[in-house]
Amino acid sequence: MADKDLSHALANLVSRGELRQEDAERVEVEFGKLSGSSELRRKVVSEVGGYLGGLFIVISLLILVNGRWHHLSRLTQFGLFISMALLIFVLSAVIGIFPGARSRLTGLLNVVASTCVTVALITVKILGHGSVTLAFSIGWFLVLVTFLVNKTLFGELSLALFSIATGISGMLLLYPHPTNNSYAIAITFLAVGTIWLVFSFKQFFNRTLGSAIGMTMLFLSGQFMFNGDYRFVTYLIYLATVGAASWLYSRSAEWPLLVGSVLTITVGTGEFVGETLGGSVGAALGLLSSGVLFVTGSAYSFRRAKRQRNA
């Protein structure tokens, strides 16, 4: 009974914004250790059972339609995926939203259900060439709503993937015959990566995971842009990424910011010098630049931490 009351209290604090989801989960885990390992084992078994149940539902439907999928009408295909989505949404609502295992399981089920809705809309092709963009947009909206209701790490990662898919499909819809598709992909990664870094710093997203997602997207943006003709844009993206990450790291020492900066400046310097002086020299200078950045960033962070302790 006390465990249930604690879960309700933590859920209320999280919903009012007075407590972060990650802190609520840590409180519940610590309480579980005090209450005994049997209760914790029961929760683990329940969570694993939920994952297996969802997996079995998907596998069973795949077996049922195997070999018959192409013979089914689009309306029937649409109905199967929508039925699956509704079933999973109902299951998620029954489980409820509580910190810990229930929260993770509910978040996973919501993402799976949103994905089913997306696939269902793609199958019916309502708008012809724009059907994919419409489907990903609706799926993105569902994932966003469920993430706002129940913030989990898996939900954040899924929201990032849906954002990328929606952005790329939208760019290709607006420019159906680009000279190089890598430009559309690079612009999408650049926009989403910037959003993720900003909102992670504002703690709308988990800072560690959000910083990792943002830095990965910005790095990939430069890589896709490098495949085109505007190499100087790639170098500008790299410089802006390293500058922004360094500034953020000085205020919030998240390791993805430092690792991402080292990776970006290593690859960027190597590509720049490799285009002008040769590959081996470029690689050496890239490593040298990374070493300088690493040492400088560490020294600055230690000095800043020391000033904060003495203040």
Side-chain angles (χ1 to χ4, degrees), residues 1-283:
M1 183 65 182
D3 188 16
K4 186 175 181 181
D5 292 338
L6 176 65
S7 298
H8 279 291
L10 292 175
N12 291 333
L13 290 173
V14 172
S15 63
R16 293 198 301 264
E18 300 177 12
L19 186 68
R20 295 174 57 189
Q21 180 70 42
E22 296 81 5
D23 297 331
E25 292 180 2
R26 283 195 290 268
V27 170
E28 190 176 50
V29 169
E30 289 298 322
F31 183 80
K33 292 178 181 178
L34 296 176
S35 347
S37 59
S38 61
E39 181 69 16
L40 187 59
R41 285 197 300 269
R42 183 186 65 81
K43 288 186 175 183
V44 172
V45 171
S46 300
E47 183 177 4
V48 173
Y51 294 146
L52 291 176
L55 180 63
F56 289 163
I57 292 174
V58 176
I59 292 177
S60 63
L61 288 175
L62 291 176
I63 294 175
L64 289 174
V65 301
N66 183 33
R68 305 183 182 89
W69 183 254
H70 296 291
H71 300 289
L72 299 176
S73 65
R74 289 181 179 178
L75 185 60
T76 304
Q77 295 174 356
F78 174 80
L80 285 174
F81 280 108
I82 288 297
S83 300
M84 188 190 306
L86 292 176
L87 176 63
I88 297 175
F89 272 132
V90 171
L91 180 60
S92 173
V94 170
I95 294 175
I97 301 173
F98 296 95
R102 287 190 179 186
S103 175
R104 293 191 294 270
L105 179 57
T106 302
L108 173 63
L109 292 176
N110 286 331
V111 171
V112 173
S114 302
T115 304
C116 291
V117 173
T118 303
V119 176
L121 293 173
I122 292 177
T123 58
V124 293
K125 298 181 180 179
I126 302 175
L127 298 179
H129 295 295
S131 298
V132 176
T133 303
L134 175 64
F136 277 122
S137 299
I138 294 177
W140 173 85
F141 177 76
L142 292 175
V143 172
L144 175 63
V145 171
T146 55
F147 175 75
L148 293 176
V149 174
N150 180 28
K151 290 187 176 182
T152 62
L153 298 181
F154 183 77
E156 179 182 341
L157 179 60
S158 302
L159 182 61
L161 295 177
F162 265 90
S163 300
I164 289 295
T166 304
I168 293 176
S169 62
M171 290 289 292
L172 295 180
L173 177 65
L174 294 175
Y175 304 99
H177 303 291
T179 56
N180 194 333
N181 287 336
S182 62
Y183 294 144
I185 299 175
I187 293 173
T188 303
F189 274 113
L190 178 62
V192 177
T194 302
I195 292 173
W196 241 258
L197 276 186
V198 172
F199 279 85
S200 298
F201 181 71
K202 298 293 184 181
Q203 293 187 331
F204 178 78
F205 296 130
N206 177 276
R207 273 195 170 179
T208 302
L209 178 61
S211 298
I213 292 175
M215 291 300 294
T216 301
M217 291 184 178
L218 291 175
F219 174 75
L220 291 176
S221 172
Q223 287 297 293
F224 279 107
M225 189 65 71
F226 189 78
N227 292 330
D229 299 325
Y230 301 100
R231 299 292 173 86
F232 72 94
V233 178
T234 299
Y235 307 136
L236 291 178
I237 292 175
Y238 287 156
L239 289 174
T241 299
V242 173
S246 301
W247 184 85
L248 292 174
Y249 186 79
S250 66
R251 287 155 178 79
S252 175
E254 300 293 339
W255 65 264
L257 298 173
L258 182 60
V259 172
S261 297
V262 172
L263 176 63
T264 301
I265 198 169
T266 301
V267 175
T269 305
E271 289 176 346
F272 175 74
V273 181
E275 286 288 308
T276 56
L277 300 179
S280 59
V281 178

